[in-house]
Amino acid sequence: VHCDYFPDLSMRCRAKLIRQLRELLENPYVSFVGHHLKFDIHMMRSDLNIEVANWLHDTMQLAFAADDNMERKGLDECVRRYLPDRAGYADEFNANTDKSRMIDVPIRDMVRYAGGDSDATFMLCKVLVRLVRRDERQWNCYKTVQMPSLRSFVGMEKHGVKVNTQALIELEADLA
């Protein structure tokens, strides 16, 4: 819906698409999964003024729960490890694309890439949920600590955190 990406898209059509996207993403009865959801949540909020209501799973957080020793937990690395048959689906795109200039990517290439990422994330979610659920304590930590913390961090990054400066000064003195 970015005007620079779709210069022929009228403001009226863009507004309609954003309304439709808002109806979907702000619906509490529709669940969403993503990889590194915090980034997407911030983008939806800042660029489109959309508050995603029901983010069910974050595959990056699931990867932490599955193996916190895994050095890198980007989508490509997780797919290589947990979905080896899908590994490399975006290698050519990644090798030939300056990710800081996604606005320059032709629509056909962007749709293929975005569709691949979405499909890989959904498939990865199914695998990782099954894997993490095998360990009841890890699953409980993911559901009761990791995901709620992620939601809190998104809120803190939007609104900030109140600090009791007097208590902080007292703590500094106690620690000294």
Side-chain angles (χ1 to χ4, degrees):
V1 295
H2 195 285
C3 292
D4 291 339
Y5 199 75
F6 295 102
D8 296 333
L9 186 66
S10 71
M11 292 307 285
R12 183 175 173 200
C13 285
R14 181 179 188 274
K16 181 179 178 183
L17 287 171
I18 292 171
R19 269 194 315 277
Q20 291 171 335
L21 193 57
R22 181 174 290 113
E23 282 179 35
L24 180 66
L25 294 173
E26 291 184 349
N27 184 337
Y29 300 107
V30 178
S31 300
F32 296 93
V33 301
H35 192 85
H36 189 32
L37 267 174
K38 196 165 67 105
F39 174 81
D40 296 327
I41 298 300
H42 281 302
M43 294 305 293
M44 288 292 148
R45 185 180 279 162
S46 65
D47 290 3
L48 301 174
N49 196 29
I50 293 174
E51 295 292 331
V52 179
N54 188 7
W55 21 311
L56 183 62
H57 292 296
D58 183 327
T59 53
M60 182 181 282
Q61 294 301 315
L62 281 165
F64 275 102
D67 182 0
D68 60 347
N69 292 315
M70 187 176 166
E71 191 172 323
R72 294 177 7 194
K73 293 178 180 67
L75 183 58
D76 291 339
E77 292 84 8
C78 289
V79 167
R80 285 188 208 310
R81 179 167 184 182
Y82 297 108
L83 297 171
D85 59 316
R86 295 278 292 146
Y89 74 93
D91 285 352
E92 184 179 336
F93 182 88
N94 291 334
N96 298 319
T97 305
D98 176 0
K99 294 283 183 91
S100 69
R101 296 290 312 155
M102 293 293 273
I103 198 81
D104 296 333
V105 176
I107 185 70
R108 186 174 49 164
D109 296 340
M110 180 62 80
V111 168
R112 188 175 302 120
Y113 169 72
D117 268 9
S118 299
D119 184 49
T121 300
F122 183 69
M123 290 170 40
L124 183 62
C125 184
K126 290 197 279 186
V127 168
L128 287 173
V129 164
R130 276 194 308 270
L131 183 63
V132 174
R133 278 190 165 196
R134 289 181 190 163
D135 183 333
E136 187 176 328
R137 289 182 302 171
Q138 277 298 92
W139 179 250
N140 187 46
C141 181
Y142 168 74
K143 294 297 283 182
T144 62
V145 176
Q146 285 176 254
M147 286 304 289
S149 296
L150 190 67
R151 288 181 177 91
S152 293
F153 292 143
V154 167
M156 283 189 287
E157 289 171 2
K158 178 181 180 186
H159 301 292
V161 178
K162 289 185 178 182
V163 176
N164 181 331
T165 54
Q166 185 58 41
L168 197 58
I169 291 168
E170 291 169 13
L171 178 62
E172 179 183 30
D174 288 348
L175 291 174

